[in-house]
Amino acid sequence: MTMHSSSETTALLDGIRAFIEPASLRTDADSALLYGRDWTRLYQPNPLAVVLPGTIEQVRQLVCYANDHRLALVPSGGRTGLSGAAVASHGELVVSLERMNRILDFDAVDRSVTCQAGTVTEALQNFAREQGLSYPVDFASRGSSHIGGNIATNAGGIKVVRYGLTRDWVTGLKVVTGRGDLLDLNRGLIKNASGYDLRHLFIGSEGTLGIIVEATLKLTRPLHEPNVMVLGVPDLNGLMAIYGVLRGALELSAFEFFSELALRHVLKKGLHRPFETATPYYVLTEFENPAGRFTDQALQLFEHCTEQGWLVDGVISQSEQQAKELWRLREDISESIAEHQPYKNDISVRISRVPALLEEIDHLLAREYPNFEVLWYGHIGDGNLHINILKPAEMATATFAENCGAVSEHLFATLQRHGGSISAEHGVGLTKKPYLHYTRDATEVGYLRALKQVFDPNGIMNPGKIFD
Amino acid sequence: MTMHSSSETTALLDGIRAFIEPASLRTDADSALLYGRDWTRLYQPNPLAVVLPGTIEQVRQLVCYANDHRLALVPSGGRTGLSGAAVASHGELVVSLERMNRILDFDAVDRSVTCQAGTVTEALQNFAREQGLSYPVDFASRGSSHIGGNIATNAGGIKVVRYGLTRDWVTGLKVVTGRGDLLDLNRGLIKNASGYDLRHLFIGSEGTLGIIVEATLKLTRPLHEPNVMVLGVPDLNGLMAIYGVLRGALELSAFEFFSELALRHVLKKGLHRPFETATPYYVLTEFENPAGRFTDQALQLFEHCTEQGWLVDGVISQSEQQAKELWRLREDISESIAEHQPYKNDISVRISRVPALLEEIDHLLAREYPNFEVLWYGHIGDGNLHINILKPAEMATATFAENCGAVSEHLFATLQRHGGSISAEHGVGLTKKPYLHYTRDATEVGYLRALKQVFDPNGIMNPGKIFD
């Protein structure tokens, strides 16, 4: 893909206007800035233009046009990603699905909903609730992330320990492949053993194989009333011991952790400590507690963990309002540190490896980078850790990025020894591309490239993302 | 792939003996018969030989050798399949994984087990139980099916409504691709967003992309004590109405149905009617009932369904023994009709489409094929219906097969209008290959072929299965 001269650009855009209404093709600077990047702030947005198709047919026409003119496309959802997969910084055409945001079909017997890819996560969650059901995949960016984007990254979030990843809820997918073919995959069936399941290939493909235009999703019964506990934990081994005891007895819907250092940032933004005692780590766990059936049991477990020395203080929510407030201690961390331009890592290992990995990385960072403030938090119940390195105020952005790159090499080499993944739920995009080899060996990456070739032989779909 | 002359055969087999101990290469007639077919009885087994590798390295060597000599391989598990995917009738080399049947690793924190592909399903279930956990994917062939085969067909079974398909439990997969590459996929991680998930491509690939040699599987808490109810249902709409009511209130782990005609075959084998009243259809449903907590509720729901006229009689298990006996009414059907050489269909639609589809097919079969005895049963709670057409005693097998082929065209055209699948859980193999186009359109099948080309460019892996 090369940059285009101004007259070429004019001709290219005129060609698009032949099948896209002019108002849905945007070339202004504000649109370029808005649609040209995701929540990462490392890349300069520089799209050719932004197109907002309104129909599947328009998406198909766009892909065919892009093939004819070797024009790179960047599919664009809510752009809440943290790995740069939705960044357009090399003159690509951004294809935003935001106008395609309708819920198309619902069936109470199937407990199933079909929606366009641009549907906002929270809109779908609300729709499900109105039908007396729930869509339990949930995360902090629910208010702006799109279902299509969730699928393209196999989004996880805060309830994975109980309700799984986005992948587990997708029963049908309409995609336009990089060749311009419309595929109607699996059509909402629970069981379908009729050849390779292409649906799962598109889930997590970060826009590199085609454009997801429609999805059918399973729904489930309404979630039982949750209780939230926040627990003060003196050391890493305590974290996992508590997890083992609680998940054996309660229906945990979340098991999160964060460090005291991370907590301090949300306290600065006006939240209050959950309890007096400060401890190096905190667990936030949620369990379903219909009619308070498990309250006594939870309190007994709390006593038991205290006696074992695994925790030293704690609080349990007494109301829905209080549960929400406790959740903010965890969910607001990311926003509270945004001003420090954190370098984000989103890694995973098997749960059993978490304590050893945490300890090794802690030593590594303290030894090699004593001047960096490092914050830990994450979905520890599924082996997913977010490591955020804050930029020292006096350090230049470029120097910081360079240093963090060096940190990453150390970090990922350690992670590799523990069989982990360089990306748990954020995807590879641009930020993790240099490190993909730590998780997928050269043979595997060879197959990934060959698969891309099958669906996108001209390399027009989100080129340069995941691998070169 | 072509047949080999006798001297060619000798040379080919000698070449294999260079890296496989002679006792693990079998060419006798008994082995050919045993390993050359699955539970279908439509194809004459005719393998070149049977190899039983003992290590991953031997599997890899076999695949490389097969590529060098353009030798077709048929991966072989427990051969309990019903679509001919494990049949070797054209001089292929059968690669049986049965010697590779060890459980390699278990971790209580991860609730995860790693085993070789030849591990028998029941052995894994028992192992999980001994660890205080469970592997809840379950079906009648549990005593002989292999984990590798389950994965290659994405086996479903009787607890899908609550515990999902095999796909949902596979967290890691080692495969030798048709190119002879060993891939170590996902390594037991819960979250791993690092590029296309090849694991899911191999799940359900019926041995056409490579050979599954090892799997890591999630386990879950022990299942709560189940209760089983069998209900007598006068019509099809009643089936779904009962389902709607029960699954809203109880934790159903199974929702099966069978027809009176099907029941009569197990009664002939010595089982007893569940209750006096004969009804056209029966529901068998299982729900988890810890400490009898939901017994009263179940009885109230039973009353409610009776008042609505949806059911006319029923029974609820009073002991584990009685629950097992009730299950036999459903699980023994397949075996009880084996002597009638049934033509099996294993179709699925969305749950909401079940009543309309059943009614249409019932009319179709009664009109077009009034002389065939047709038995219905299946996992109706997930939209999966087994339709068995019995061979009239006086009809020649070939004539019957021809007639059933014609039935299938009608059946699948109807199914297609309802958006269903020609194979819910048995796979495509050989028996459903002519009908694949009713579920996957030509464009999709084109992509399936291209994917096969990526993993198996010489077409040595189970050629002729799924598609030509």
Side-chain angles (χ1 to χ4, degrees):
Chain A
M1 303 292 140
T2 52
M3 309 297 282
H4 305 279
S5 74
S6 142
S7 65
E8 276 172 353
T9 298
T10 307
L12 269 173
L13 297 181
D14 282 346
I16 294 170
R17 288 191 190 95
F19 55 89
I20 297 275
E21 51 277 32
S24 299
L25 179 65
R26 300 192 189 161
T27 54
D28 60 294
D30 285 355
S31 295
L33 184 66
L34 179 64
Y35 291 92
R37 64 182 187 183
D38 61 8
W39 279 4
T40 57
R41 286 294 178 264
L42 297 165
Y43 312 95
Q44 191 58 39
N46 180 33
L48 174 73
V50 180
V51 195
L52 299 95
T55 64
I56 291 176
E57 180 51 22
Q58 285 184 338
V59 173
R60 222 188 47 73
Q61 287 173 307
L62 270 170
V63 172
C64 293
Y65 186 82
N67 272 294
D68 290 345
H69 297 83
R70 296 295 190 272
L71 179 60
L73 302 179
V74 176
S76 186
R79 293 180 305 285
T80 59
L82 293 165
S83 68
V87 164
S89 57
H90 291 90
E92 304 96 331
L93 188 67
V94 173
V95 183
S96 165
L97 279 291
E98 73 176 34
R99 286 174 61 211
M100 294 174 65
N101 63 355
R102 278 179 306 129
I103 289 174
L104 302 171
D105 192 29
F106 167 75
D107 190 289
V109 173
D110 293 328
R111 288 182 172 178
S112 164
V113 60
T114 299
C115 67
Q116 293 181 308
T119 304
V120 170
T121 310
E122 195 166 46
L124 186 86
Q125 290 171 336
N126 291 340
F127 177 85
R129 199 172 302 116
E130 288 157 18
Q131 315 304 319
L133 293 167
S134 74
Y135 179 67
V137 181
D138 197 20
F139 26 76
S141 65
R142 66 182 74 84
S144 43
S145 65
H146 289 187
I147 292 298
N150 298 351
I151 295 170
T153 54
N154 188 24
I158 56 179
K159 292 198 200 298
V160 172
V161 290
R162 175 112 167 95
Y163 292 104
L165 295 141
T166 299
R167 182 185 299 285
D168 302 306
W169 298 88
V170 178
T171 59
L173 217 50
K174 274 193 188 160
V175 300
V176 175
T177 72
R179 286 179 186 268
D181 293 316
L182 176 63
L183 303 182
D184 186 4
L185 302 172
N186 203 58
R187 299 183 306 276
L189 298 172
I190 297 173
K191 284 180 167 179
N192 180 13
S194 62
Y196 320 143
D197 198 329
L198 303 183
R199 172 181 46 146
H200 285 286
L201 208 46
F202 279 86
I203 298 171
S205 63
E206 303 186 38
T208 61
L209 301 177
I211 302 180
I212 295 165
V213 291
E214 213 176 282
T216 299
L217 302 160
K218 258 191 315 188
L219 302 176
T220 187
R221 59 157 179 73
L223 275 47
H224 298 300
E225 314 89 84
N227 271 100
V228 171
M229 290 195 288
V230 176
L231 311 170
V233 182
D235 65 40
L236 291 169
N237 285 312
L239 282 178
M240 303 316 285
I242 294 169
Y243 185 48
V245 165
L246 294 190
R247 76 169 169 168
L250 302 172
E251 290 283 18
L252 299 187
S253 47
F255 194 85
E256 305 277 314
F257 94 118
F258 48 90
S259 63
E260 167 70 14
L261 287 177
L263 177 67
R264 286 184 194 161
H265 285 271
V266 296
L267 299 182
K268 270 191 225 160
K269 300 289 173 186
L271 299 191
H272 299 290
R273 276 194 182 278
F275 38 76
E276 294 261 317
T277 326
T279 49
Y281 304 99
Y282 299 88
V283 161
L284 182 152
T285 183
E286 184 185 270
F287 61 101
E288 299 192 16
N289 192 11
R293 191 183 290 154
F294 300 106
T295 306
D296 285 351
Q297 201 162 1
L299 295 175
Q300 281 165 25
L301 294 166
F302 178 85
E303 291 295 327
H304 172 72
C305 292
T306 310
E307 284 162 19
Q308 299 293 321
W310 299 333
L311 62 84
V312 295
D313 205 345
V315 61
I316 183 166
S317 64
Q318 303 293 330
S319 66
E320 207 184 313
Q321 181 56 31
Q322 206 186 348
K324 277 187 187 160
E325 280 164 20
L326 290 173
W327 260 116
R328 288 191 60 193
L329 295 172
R330 163 67 186 84
E331 286 208 298
D332 287 8
I333 296 172
S334 192
E335 205 179 312
S336 76
I337 58 173
E339 67 200 67
H340 300 283
Q341 299 176 45
Y343 186 87
K344 287 175 174 289
N345 277 297
D346 163 48
I347 61 175
S348 67
V349 281
R350 289 194 184 197
I351 308 164
S352 57
R353 298 292 191 108
V354 167
L357 179 78
L358 273 176
E359 201 160 340
E360 273 191 56
I361 296 180
D362 215 20
H363 288 156
L364 168 79
L365 295 175
R367 188 181 68 229
E368 300 280 332
Y369 307 96
N371 299 324
F372 286 162
E373 185 178 346
V374 180
L375 307 185
W376 299 88
Y377 54 95
H379 318 292
I380 199 169
D382 45 48
N384 181 187
L385 311 169
H386 297 311
I387 306 172
N388 284 250
I389 305 171
L390 305 196
K391 190 178 83 57
E394 69 286 359
M395 190 179 276
T397 303
T399 315
F400 177 64
E402 204 173 294
N403 271 286
C404 288
V407 174
S408 290
E409 298 285 353
H410 283 293
L411 182 68
F412 293 149
T414 306
L415 186 63
Q416 189 176 33
R417 276 191 284 106
H418 288 277
S421 175
I422 56 148
S423 175
E425 57 178 4
H426 293 172
V428 178
L430 291 169
T431 59
K432 296 300 176 290
K433 185 170 66 167
Y435 313 108
L436 183 60
H437 65 95
Y438 286 107
T439 296
R440 312 289 297 260
D441 67 23
T443 311
E444 268 192 76
V445 174
Y447 282 105
L448 302 192
R449 282 185 215 281
L451 293 179
K452 163 122 177 140
Q453 192 66 24
V454 166
F455 290 93
D456 178 29
N458 295 323
I460 59 152
M461 289 308 313
N462 217 5
K465 311 295 165 59
I466 304 183
F467 45 73
D468 280 315
Chain B
M1 305 292 140
T2 53
M3 309 296 281
H4 305 279
S5 75
S6 143
S7 66
E8 275 173 353
T9 299
T10 308
L12 269 173
L13 297 181
D14 283 346
I16 294 169
R17 288 190 191 95
F19 54 90
I20 297 275
E21 52 277 35
S24 299
L25 178 64
R26 301 192 188 159
T27 54
D28 61 293
D30 284 356
S31 294
L33 184 65
L34 179 65
Y35 292 92
R37 64 183 187 183
D38 61 7
W39 279 4
T40 57
R41 286 294 178 264
L42 297 165
Y43 312 95
Q44 192 58 39
N46 180 33
L48 173 72
V50 180
V51 195
L52 298 96
T55 65
I56 291 176
E57 180 51 22
Q58 286 185 337
V59 173
R60 221 188 48 73
Q61 286 173 307
L62 269 170
V63 172
C64 293
Y65 187 82
N67 272 295
D68 290 345
H69 297 84
R70 296 294 191 272
L71 179 59
L73 302 179
V74 176
S76 186
R79 294 179 306 285
T80 58
L82 293 164
S83 68
V87 164
S89 57
H90 291 90
E92 302 96 331
L93 188 68
V94 173
V95 183
S96 166
L97 279 290
E98 72 177 34
R99 286 175 61 212
M100 294 173 66
N101 64 355
R102 279 180 305 128
I103 290 174
L104 302 172
D105 192 29
F106 167 74
D107 190 289
V109 173
D110 292 328
R111 289 183 171 176
S112 164
V113 60
T114 299
C115 67
Q116 292 182 308
T119 304
V120 170
T121 310
E122 197 165 43
L124 187 86
Q125 291 171 336
N126 290 342
F127 177 85
R129 200 172 301 116
E130 288 157 18
Q131 314 306 319
L133 294 167
S134 75
Y135 179 68
V137 180
D138 197 20
F139 26 76
S141 65
R142 64 182 76 82
S144 42
S145 65
H146 289 187
I147 292 298
N150 298 351
I151 294 170
T153 54
N154 188 22
I158 56 179
K159 294 199 198 298
V160 172
V161 291
R162 176 112 168 94
Y163 292 103
L165 295 141
T166 299
R167 181 185 300 285
D168 302 307
W169 298 88
V170 178
T171 58
L173 217 50
K174 275 193 189 161
V175 300
V176 175
T177 71
R179 287 180 185 267
D181 293 316
L182 176 63
L183 303 182
D184 186 5
L185 302 171
N186 203 58
R187 300 183 306 275
L189 298 172
I190 297 172
K191 285 180 166 179
N192 180 10
S194 62
Y196 320 144
D197 197 330
L198 304 183
R199 171 181 48 146
H200 285 288
L201 208 47
F202 279 85
I203 298 171
S205 63
E206 303 186 37
T208 62
L209 300 178
I211 302 181
I212 295 164
V213 290
E214 213 177 282
T216 299
L217 302 160
K218 255 191 318 187
L219 302 176
T220 187
R221 59 157 178 74
L223 275 48
H224 298 300
E225 314 89 88
N227 271 100
V228 172
M229 291 195 288
V230 176
L231 312 170
V233 182
D235 66 41
L236 292 170
N237 286 313
L239 283 178
M240 302 315 285
I242 293 169
Y243 185 47
V245 165
L246 294 191
R247 76 169 170 167
L250 301 173
E251 289 284 17
L252 299 186
S253 48
F255 193 85
E256 304 278 314
F257 94 118
F258 48 91
S259 63
E260 167 69 15
L261 287 177
L263 177 66
R264 286 183 195 161
H265 285 271
V266 295
L267 298 184
K268 270 190 224 159
K269 300 290 172 184
L271 299 192
H272 299 290
R273 274 194 183 278
F275 38 75
E276 293 261 316
T277 326
T279 49
Y281 303 100
Y282 299 87
V283 161
L284 183 152
T285 183
E286 183 184 271
F287 60 100
E288 299 192 16
N289 192 11
R293 190 184 290 153
F294 300 106
T295 306
D296 285 352
Q297 201 164 359
L299 294 175
Q300 281 165 24
L301 294 166
F302 179 85
E303 290 295 327
H304 172 73
C305 292
T306 309
E307 282 162 18
Q308 299 292 322
W310 297 333
L311 62 85
V312 294
D313 205 345
V315 62
I316 183 166
S317 64
Q318 303 292 331
S319 66
E320 207 185 314
Q321 181 56 31
Q322 206 186 347
K324 276 186 187 161
E325 280 164 20
L326 290 172
W327 259 116
R328 288 192 58 194
L329 296 171
R330 163 68 186 84
E331 286 207 300
D332 286 8
I333 295 172
S334 192
E335 205 179 313
S336 75
I337 58 175
E339 67 199 68
H340 299 284
Q341 298 174 44
Y343 186 87
K344 288 175 172 291
N345 277 297
D346 162 49
I347 61 175
S348 67
V349 283
R350 286 194 187 198
I351 308 165
S352 57
R353 298 292 191 108
V354 167
L357 179 78
L358 273 176
E359 201 161 340
E360 272 191 55
I361 295 179
D362 214 21
H363 286 155
L364 168 80
L365 295 175
R367 188 180 68 230
E368 300 280 332
Y369 307 95
N371 299 325
F372 285 162
E373 185 177 346
V374 179
L375 306 186
W376 298 90
Y377 54 96
H379 318 292
I380 199 169
D382 46 46
N384 180 187
L385 311 169
H386 296 312
I387 306 172
N388 283 250
I389 305 171
L390 304 196
K391 189 178 84 58
E394 70 285 0
M395 190 179 277
T397 303
T399 315
F400 177 65
E402 204 174 292
N403 270 287
C404 287
V407 174
S408 289
E409 298 285 353
H410 283 295
L411 182 68
F412 293 149
T414 306
L415 186 63
Q416 190 176 33
R417 276 190 284 105
H418 288 277
S421 174
I422 56 148
S423 175
E425 57 178 4
H426 293 173
V428 177
L430 291 168
T431 60
K432 296 299 176 291
K433 184 170 69 167
Y435 313 108
L436 183 60
H437 65 95
Y438 285 108
T439 296
R440 312 289 296 260
D441 67 24
T443 310
E444 269 190 78
V445 174
Y447 282 104
L448 302 192
R449 282 184 214 282
L451 292 180
K452 162 119 177 142
Q453 191 67 24
V454 166
F455 290 93
D456 177 29
N458 296 321
I460 59 151
M461 288 309 314
N462 217 2
K465 311 296 164 59
I466 306 183
F467 44 73
D468 281 315

